[in-house]
Amino acid sequence: MKNFDIVSKKKLFITIPLVILAVVIAFTLIFGAVISIEFTGGTIMTYSYAGELDFSAVKSEIETLGFGNVNVTGGSAFGADIELVNVAFSSNEGLSAGQLSEVTGRLIAAFPENNIAIENSQNVSPSTGVRFFLKCLVAFVFAFILFIIYIALRFKKLGGWSTGVFALIALLVDVMVVVSVFIFFRLPIDAIFMAVVLAIMGYSINNTIILYDRVRENKTLFAGKKSARELVNLSVRQSLTRTINTTVTTAAALLVLSIVAMIYDVNTILNFAFPMLIGLISGVYTTLCLSGTFWVMWQERRGAPAGRK
């Protein structure tokens, strides 16, 4: 491990997220993103059913009514042995009472053996969706500001505000990775997406704080005997095992949860667990490969010695 020099690979580590960003943008422009009606407005109908139900057949049956774009997902009721299917229509005005009855009647007639019954229905106006999106955006911005302030105050010896900005850049990479999972796997961008992003931000910033703590301790310990590059390489090596072990245990639980949710077709859990799993892996990458590297680049730009390579 004497030749351990993660900072020397900075071009590769910075290029990878840039490539992912370019692919995400291109994929979104070509195929678009699946935006939940929580943001766009529309109607959500929840039905209970018995036996096995082919969701693709349900989608095809409803589309023949010509009420617009429809998304069909399955799930289970918590605390009750009831299988549910959610039917979501994206529209500006929502469905009328007559249209809702027509959808229900069509499903009951098409799948008589499944005992389909309406459990709940609600219309979401576009203005409500916009307000919800703005509230989520405020939550993101507020969280970012708090993270920057906290890290700037805690790590004054490492550069204060500049250190907070580097941690923020690493967090933005994690957010981009989570977005790419939702885009590539056609998962709906909804409240679950917001929850995943905020959870990943908290997890990733914790890893970054641990790394910066190591850098600060080593800087004090060696008192100018090591360059910024050497300090970060040493700190990454010291925190590597702990960061990976912590992530592996959490990721293993999320992997099992994702598999179980996939087997039992519980999309709500799957849409949370799987992006969280990928986000955790991204958090390790940004902490070990980017956070410290950005700090070294800044120190060297300010004239600090680059250290031995």
Side-chain angles (χ1 to χ4, degrees):
M1 298 290 284
K2 291 183 178 180
N3 297 324
F4 185 89
D5 188 1
I6 200 166
V7 179
S8 66
K9 307 296 191 299
K10 59 185 178 183
K11 290 184 179 179
L12 172 64
F13 294 142
I14 294 175
T15 300
I16 291 175
L18 291 178
V19 171
I20 294 176
L21 177 61
V23 173
V24 170
I25 293 176
F27 193 92
T28 305
L29 291 176
I30 296 173
F31 300 102
V34 181
I35 309 296
S36 170
I37 65 173
E38 294 174 0
F39 295 146
T40 61
T43 301
I44 303 175
M45 306 173 69
T46 302
Y47 296 92
S48 61
Y49 67 92
E52 297 292 331
L53 187 62
D54 185 349
F55 295 153
S56 60
V58 171
K59 178 180 174 66
S60 299
E61 192 68 32
I62 296 175
E63 286 178 339
T64 60
L65 296 174
F67 293 157
N69 296 328
V70 60
N71 183 43
V72 178
T73 57
S76 300
F78 290 101
D81 188 18
I82 301 176
E83 296 298 321
L84 301 175
V85 57
N86 298 307
V87 179
F89 293 89
S90 296
S91 63
N92 292 329
E93 299 179 356
L95 300 185
S96 65
Q99 290 173 322
L100 292 175
S101 298
E102 191 172 348
V103 172
T104 301
R106 177 62 64 88
L107 292 178
I108 292 175
F111 307 96
E113 68 282 0
N114 294 113
N115 298 324
I116 292 178
I118 183 71
E119 297 290 333
N120 183 45
S121 66
Q122 60 176 331
N123 287 327
V124 180
S125 67
S127 59
T128 301
V130 171
R131 287 196 299 269
F132 180 60
F133 174 77
L134 291 177
K135 289 179 180 179
C136 293
L137 187 60
V138 169
F140 286 149
V141 174
F142 186 68
F144 280 133
I145 292 175
L146 286 181
F147 285 149
I148 292 177
I149 294 175
Y150 175 75
I151 293 179
L153 294 177
R154 180 165 177 169
F155 299 105
K156 290 181 179 179
K157 293 183 178 180
L158 297 183
W161 292 106
S162 60
T163 310
V165 171
F166 303 145
L168 174 60
I169 295 174
L171 283 179
L172 289 175
V173 174
D174 294 328
V175 172
M176 179 197 68
V177 170
V178 172
V179 171
S180 68
V181 174
F182 276 82
I183 296 295
F184 293 150
F185 291 91
R186 315 305 294 162
L187 303 179
I189 296 178
D190 53 12
I192 294 178
F193 166 79
M194 303 299 177
V196 171
V197 170
L198 290 174
I200 289 300
M201 287 170 56
Y203 196 94
S204 181
I205 202 67
N206 180 65
N207 286 337
T208 300
I209 288 172
I210 292 173
L211 175 63
Y212 283 161
D213 267 330
R214 286 287 189 179
V215 175
R216 181 178 58 183
E217 292 171 2
N218 288 326
K219 185 178 182 181
T220 302
L221 178 64
F222 292 100
K225 296 179 181 179
K226 288 185 179 293
S227 67
R229 180 180 296 251
E230 291 171 322
L231 287 173
V232 168
N233 285 329
L234 175 61
S235 301
V236 170
R237 185 168 70 245
Q238 291 173 337
S239 59
L240 182 63
T241 301
R242 181 192 182 279
T243 300
I244 291 180
N245 287 344
T246 303
T247 302
V248 166
T249 54
T250 308
L254 288 171
L255 178 60
V256 172
L257 188 61
S258 298
I259 294 174
V260 172
M262 187 179 301
I263 292 174
Y264 290 97
D265 201 21
V266 186
N267 290 331
T268 303
I269 296 178
L270 181 62
N271 291 354
F272 177 84
F274 180 65
M276 271 290 295
L277 173 62
I278 304 301
L280 287 180
I281 298 173
S282 172
V284 174
Y285 175 84
T286 56
T287 296
L288 299 178
C289 302
L290 295 181
S291 298
T293 300
F294 288 146
W295 182 77
V296 172
M297 293 171 62
W298 176 252
Q299 294 299 312
E300 293 179 353
R301 183 182 180 86
R302 294 174 60 199
R308 297 183 298 275
K309 296 185 181 180

